[in-house]
Amino acid sequence: MIDPRDRLIVALDLGDPREAEALVERIGDAATFYKIGYRLAYAGGLALVPKLAARGLKVFLDLKLHDIGNTVEEGVRALTDLGATFLTVHAYPQTMRAAVRGRGEAGPKILAVTVLTSYDEADAREAGYALPVPDLVAQRAAQAAQAGLDGIVCSAAEAASVRDIIGPDRLIVTPGIRPAGAEVGDQKRVMTPGEARAAGIDHVVVGRPITGAADPRDAAQRIVADMA
Ligand SMILES: O=C(O)c1cc(=O)[nH]c(=O)n1[C@@H]1O[C@H](COP(=O)(O)O)[C@@H](O)[C@H]1O
């Protein structure tokens, strides 16, 4: 059985590694899994990956790589020894196949970002996609499974249909999570932690509802409790 705390990934979307470390201290044993995205990574946060890993915490390195195959493959290879548990790439077939080659045997699990949770139908159309968002997510999930990826990032609204596509062993990780009544901000495909859990997700990613809370530890505990 997975420890319910492991289902929560706290997004350390902060501009300074010292601030991020202080937040990890404040949250204490209420969370075990942290995400470093590019705001923090570009500010020196890559060095936090081995540091947090050495403390027994899991790290999701969210760099959302997407480039020509060779660049993605070598980029992923350069990250394999950092100690991250997850690494993201965008769900383009060429990119995903390159990431799997770069990861080799020992690298992090590679997750494919399907359609960003800040996108609704109008945003997808504006970006040139003719497919409805759930169909685009489904297509990309199938391609990710075929490319040998370890998991999918999508909204919890798509989790049940993605599960049917990727089977029980690959992971479903869902941002766009808001506790009931919380400010949604720029997220558009949103669910509560409890709804996401009921839809069959493996992990939720939560940033501002925790990083912006007066008591981040309490906010994390409430989210975990909602998924129990
Ligand atoms: O890959 C991600 O983590 C991601 C994918 C996605 O579709 N939507 C999404 O919000 N994210 C990330 O998840 C986090 C969500 O943060 P909050 O909206 O503050 O909870 C941010 O760090 C985003 O970069």
Side-chain angles (χ1 to χ4, degrees):
M1 266 295 280
I2 178 169
D3 179 336
R5 288 175 310 163
D6 284 346
R7 296 208 181 274
L8 169 63
I9 302 176
V10 179
L12 293 171
D13 290 331
L14 303 166
D16 179 337
R18 281 164 306 189
E19 215 184 308
E21 279 193 276
L23 182 63
V24 171
E25 288 305 326
R26 243 185 120 184
I27 292 173
D29 65 4
T32 58
F33 213 147
Y34 288 92
K35 182 170 87 79
I36 296 179
Y38 43 77
R39 180 175 175 203
L40 184 57
Y42 292 163
L46 275 187
L48 262 190
V49 179
K51 231 170 156 177
L52 295 181
R55 291 174 48 180
L57 297 166
K58 292 196 197 115
V59 182
F60 171 1
L61 185 53
D62 177 26
L63 298 183
K64 292 191 183 68
L65 303 176
H66 181 45
D67 206 314
I68 62 168
N70 182 65
T71 301
V72 170
E73 180 176 344
E74 296 304 338
V76 170
R77 189 163 289 129
L79 294 166
T80 52
D81 292 337
L82 272 183
T85 298
F86 296 159
L87 172 68
T88 42
V89 301
H90 279 288
Y92 288 78
Q94 206 180 82
T95 293
M96 295 191 285
R97 288 191 291 269
V100 169
R101 287 195 300 275
R103 173 197 59 188
E105 293 299 309
K109 287 188 180 355
I110 310 284
L111 308 182
V113 179
T114 54
V115 177
L116 292 166
T117 53
S118 60
Y119 278 51
D120 61 14
E121 296 297 341
D123 296 310
R125 260 197 315 279
E126 184 188 24
Y129 296 106
L131 284 179
V133 167
D135 295 1
L136 189 54
V137 171
Q139 183 188 76
R140 291 179 165 177
Q143 290 171 333
Q146 197 172 14
L149 264 73
D150 303 292
I152 300 296
V153 178
C154 60
S155 104
E158 295 104 38
S161 50
V162 166
R163 180 61 73 201
D164 288 342
I165 294 165
I166 65 171
D169 297 333
R170 295 180 208 277
L171 299 166
I172 299 178
V173 179
T174 57
I177 297 296
R178 290 292 181 269
E183 226 169 90
V184 168
D186 55 352
Q187 299 286 4
K188 293 192 180 151
R189 306 197 324 283
V190 175
M191 278 193 163
T192 67
E195 288 166 346
R197 181 72 196 109
I201 59 86
D202 294 286
H203 302 277
V204 295
V205 176
V206 185
R208 289 163 286 185
I210 296 174
T211 59
D215 184 343
R217 178 179 167 82
D218 177 65
Q221 283 172 328
R222 284 171 191 273
I223 289 165
V224 172
D226 193 27
M227 290 190 287

